[in-house]
Amino acid sequence: MFETQNIEYKSIWKDEYLKWICGFANAQGGTLIIGKNDAGEIVGIKDSGKLLEDLPNRITTVLGIVADVNLHQSGQGDYIEIVVEPQPNPVNYKGEYHYRSGSTKQELKGAALDKFLLQKYGRKWDSVTVPNIPVSELKQETFEFFRKKGIKSKRLDDDVLTESNELLLENLQLTENNYLKRAALLLFHPKPEKFVTGAYVKIGYFETDSDLIFQDEIHGNLFEQVEKTIDLLFTKYIKAIISYEGIYRVETYEYPKEAIREAIHNAIAHRDYTGGMPIQISVYKDKIMIWNYGELPNGWNTEYLLAKHSSQPHNPDIANAFFRIGYIESWGRGMDKMKNQCIEANIPVPTISAKGHDFWIVFRKEIDLSAFNLNDRQLNSLKFYKETGEILASEYMKRYNVSERTARYDLSKLADYNLVIKQGEKKQTKYIFAHKLPIKQKD
């Protein structure tokens, strides 16, 4: 058995391995085994009895925690198992904070350490207070905008019109001990970049990945960033098809405006502001790519994010303010609504990728099937059945001369990619095209 998130092997004991115990304690816990090599094979240790006696005291003295230390005996030799439980409070090794991530140990420093300590104490980055910034320094026009939008969304009462700015901030829980929180500065200060590096949005129009045609930057507080970004995208970067219904002019955009708006709201509200880099929106002739510095909550994946899920905002105070004026939902429905809006507009469901701190959401006018791991049958079926708008499992079996099990597997994969929607069971199962499926042909 090889090393994992929760298991580490060491052939001999060294005091520096207390760092690994510290890392387990600060993460999800784990087991450090002394007397096995990296492949998990027993190599045995000397003085196992003395280690069994010394290690519990050493762990408690240096790290301040209690760990179970167990001796195991075998024909290949003795080995010791140190079982470490996750700790509710931060654990340090001689002033250093270590953390187990995957099968490696990291020493936390800088912004990563700040984030870790805040989480351990039940705090979030946006809830930290900033001294010596008076409410009078915040932007009055933004308070007025917030009040009007909140009343219109029916998530604020009319009483908010007569409340002072101080009381409004207090009710939004954006103050603590008479200090403004970081969230208050990002939301209402005219120049939040004075306090948070990279708190702005960049938009660029690209002919190719390396060929930037023109670009813009959007500065100001977060509410201004949302409104200016949406306005700029749909006046300068995204084309509209003009039609008429009687005497009325109708503009139909290449992408559903509400879906793009939802993506912008989420990028600004949920980004990790410790990264120091702006949100970047890259517009191409066939796609829009929105990037922000962030990551999914522990245990989440992109498939979970596109389905109905619980709401776990990265910046709860910012998210609460956005919710109050109708920018975002508080039930984890935003991504699902965005997906459905794209289906209704007959464009592909947006794709999401989250790797490290790179969080991308990509809207396309047409589906590039090379982005999916599809076999020849699946590729052919999407084009062959496109006009009928559905694929019957029984017809798929006959056309490609495959078993029911193979057909079910192939079609289920198409459903996993949101290319089709499954209806019914067994041979008569229908797989309905999620949209008109504009398919990008190979060059």
Side-chain angles (χ1 to χ4, degrees), residues 42-300:
I42 299 171
V43 295
I45 53 172
K46 298 177 181 179
D47 300 325
S48 59
K50 189 174 187 305
L51 280 175
L52 185 65
E53 183 179 339
D54 291 348
L55 283 177
N57 292 330
R58 203 170 301 179
I59 292 168
T60 301
T61 300
V62 177
L63 301 179
I65 64 172
V66 176
D68 290 333
V69 181
N70 305 309
L71 174 63
H72 295 270
Q73 297 175 317
S74 73
Q76 291 79 31
D78 296 347
Y79 64 94
I80 284 179
E81 180 184 70
I82 304 171
V83 181
V84 185
E85 296 294 329
Q87 300 298 305
N89 296 312
V91 176
N92 74 83
Y93 168 80
K94 299 180 179 180
E96 300 172 359
Y97 290 87
H98 298 270
Y99 190 86
R100 181 74 170 189
S101 178
S103 59
T104 63
K105 178 193 68 64
Q106 304 172 357
E107 182 182 354
L108 299 176
K109 295 181 180 180
L113 177 57
D114 291 342
K115 180 180 177 182
F116 165 74
L117 294 174
L118 286 170
Q119 288 177 339
K120 280 294 184 180
Y121 290 119
R123 300 291 297 271
K124 292 287 189 176
W125 178 90
D126 67 336
S127 70
V128 174
T129 56
V130 181
N132 304 322
I133 308 297
V135 174
S136 60
E137 195 172 313
L138 305 185
K139 193 168 183 175
Q140 180 60 34
E141 291 86 350
T142 304
F143 282 110
E144 294 171 2
F145 168 85
F146 180 84
R147 289 182 171 98
K148 290 177 183 177
K149 291 282 285 186
I151 292 170
K152 186 176 181 180
S153 72
K154 303 187 186 309
R155 293 175 180 175
L156 289 177
D157 296 328
D158 290 346
D159 295 344
V160 76
L161 291 172
T162 56
E163 288 178 353
S164 67
N165 293 343
E166 289 80 1
L167 183 57
L168 175 62
L169 291 169
E170 184 179 338
N171 289 337
L172 288 171
Q173 300 180 23
L174 293 176
T175 60
E176 186 177 316
N177 299 325
N178 296 321
Y179 291 129
L180 294 174
K181 293 182 178 180
R182 284 171 174 161
L185 300 178
L186 282 167
L187 291 163
F188 291 100
H189 199 279
K191 296 181 179 180
E193 291 170 66
K194 288 173 60 177
F195 314 98
V196 183
T197 302
Y200 66 100
V201 179
K202 289 177 65 175
I203 309 177
Y205 189 89
F206 291 81
E207 191 70 36
T208 66
D209 288 343
S210 59
D211 192 5
L212 175 64
I213 307 302
F214 51 86
Q215 63 179 331
D216 292 279
E217 291 185 0
I218 297 93
H219 298 271
N221 58 55
L222 300 191
F223 297 123
E224 292 173 324
Q225 289 180 31
V226 167
E227 297 302 319
K228 291 177 182 178
T229 299
I230 296 296
D231 181 66
L232 198 56
L233 278 173
F234 283 90
T235 55
K236 183 175 179 179
Y237 287 84
I238 298 175
K239 296 178 182 178
I241 300 172
I242 308 300
S243 61
Y244 290 86
E245 294 181 0
I247 61 172
Y248 297 103
R249 171 184 164 129
V250 178
E251 293 184 345
T252 304
Y253 289 99
E254 299 171 307
Y255 304 93
K257 193 169 186 178
E258 289 309 307
I260 298 293
R261 177 180 281 274
E262 183 73 32
I264 300 299
H265 290 165
N266 287 336
I268 291 176
H270 302 314
R271 66 175 286 196
D272 184 344
Y273 282 90
T274 66
M277 290 173 284
I279 291 169
Q280 298 172 29
I281 304 174
S282 304
V283 183
Y284 297 77
K285 63 181 180 181
D286 61 343
K287 64 185 176 183
I288 297 176
M289 306 178 70
I290 302 172
W291 176 89
N292 67 280
Y293 185 87
E295 58 187 347
L296 294 175
N298 287 334
W300 285 30

Side-chain angles (χ1 to χ4, degrees), residues 321-366:
F322 271 34
F323 169 75
R324 294 298 167 191
I325 63 171
Y327 274 0
I328 62 175
E329 300 292 336
S330 65
W331 294 91
R333 298 187 300 123
M335 286 291 184
D336 192 49
K337 287 175 60 179
M338 184 172 61
K339 179 178 73 173
N340 291 331
Q341 287 159 355
C342 288
I343 291 173
E344 290 174 7
N346 292 317
I347 67 169
V349 170
T351 58
I352 296 173
S353 67
K355 195 170 184 180
H357 286 285
D358 286 323
F359 188 92
W360 289 94
I361 181 164
V362 180
F363 293 85
R364 295 181 184 274
K365 296 180 192 175
E366 56 189 6

